Amino acid sequence: MEFGDFECPACRQWFPVIEAFRKAHSSNVAFVFHHWPLSYHRFAYPAARASECAGEQTKFWEYYQLLYAGQDSLGLITFHELAKRAAVPDLSRFDVCNGSASRVPAIDQDVDAARQIKAWGTPSIIINGVLQVGMPDAAKLESTLATAERTASRT
């Protein structure tokens, strides 16, 4: 589980690690992303909103990948253009959703959850219910998975 911010440089560093791990273990690992857009990142909340709008049309993960891969272009490429690249099927519906000025309850609930677990910054990573200190590397992820699989096989 990650509490992340699409404008966070550390989250961008974590992105290729978790993406490779997710692809390698797609059949036996669940990855859950929670929004934690930091107030001092100008595009973080708008990017989170746009990802939720893409998610309403089953394109959250495609949009998530484009946001992190193109983080240095936030504010230069429109969220509409990213939606087009993510193959969001109904761009008009996306634009209406993304054009709303109201708060997004799902994002605000994620921020509240990050505070409740006393997360200290982005990305905050939880593996098997344990809040990690720092960002785990690929070796730590593999080791944690192996331990979990050994434990599960004993039960």
Side-chain angles (χ1 to χ4, degrees):
M1 180 181 306
E2 172 189 358
F3 285 86
D5 171 330
F6 289 119
E7 198 171 349
C8 164
C11 296
R12 172 63 181 95
Q13 289 177 324
W14 163 252
F15 168 72
V17 174
I18 192 59
E19 281 299 289
F21 187 76
R22 281 181 50 202
K23 286 178 184 165
H25 301 287
S26 62
S27 63
N28 59 340
V29 171
F31 173 67
V32 178
F33 179 84
H34 291 282
H35 298 284
W36 192 6
L38 302 175
S39 61
Y40 53 87
H41 285 152
R42 178 177 166 199
F43 299 108
Y45 199 96
R49 174 191 306 280
S51 73
E52 287 295 307
C53 293
E56 286 182 5
Q57 298 186 52
T58 70
K59 294 296 183 177
F60 175 84
W61 291 111
E62 293 85 348
Y63 208 87
Y64 157 94
Q65 291 168 339
L66 288 169
L67 284 168
Y68 277 133
Q71 187 183 73
D72 59 343
S73 297
L74 283 176
L76 300 174
I77 297 175
T78 66
F79 292 123
H80 176 92
E81 177 59 29
L82 289 173
K84 191 175 358 176
R85 292 178 188 181
V88 172
D90 186 341
L91 292 174
S92 295
R93 182 174 151 207
F94 172 87
D95 289 340
V96 168
C97 174
N98 195 47
S100 171
S102 63
R103 301 291 294 178
V104 179
I107 297 169
D108 294 340
Q109 290 167 3
D110 285 352
V111 171
D112 289 343
R115 290 182 180 131
Q116 287 175 6
I117 65 165
K118 298 184 181 5
W120 56 85
T122 56
S124 286
I125 311 298
I126 299 172
I127 300 175
N128 290 340
V130 178
L131 184 60
Q132 302 297 298
V133 176
M135 286 185 296
D137 60 12
K140 167 78 173 180
L141 293 173
E142 292 294 343
S143 170
T144 302
L145 177 60
T147 300
E149 287 175 338
R150 282 193 303 275
T151 302
S153 70
R154 289 187 213 141
T155 58

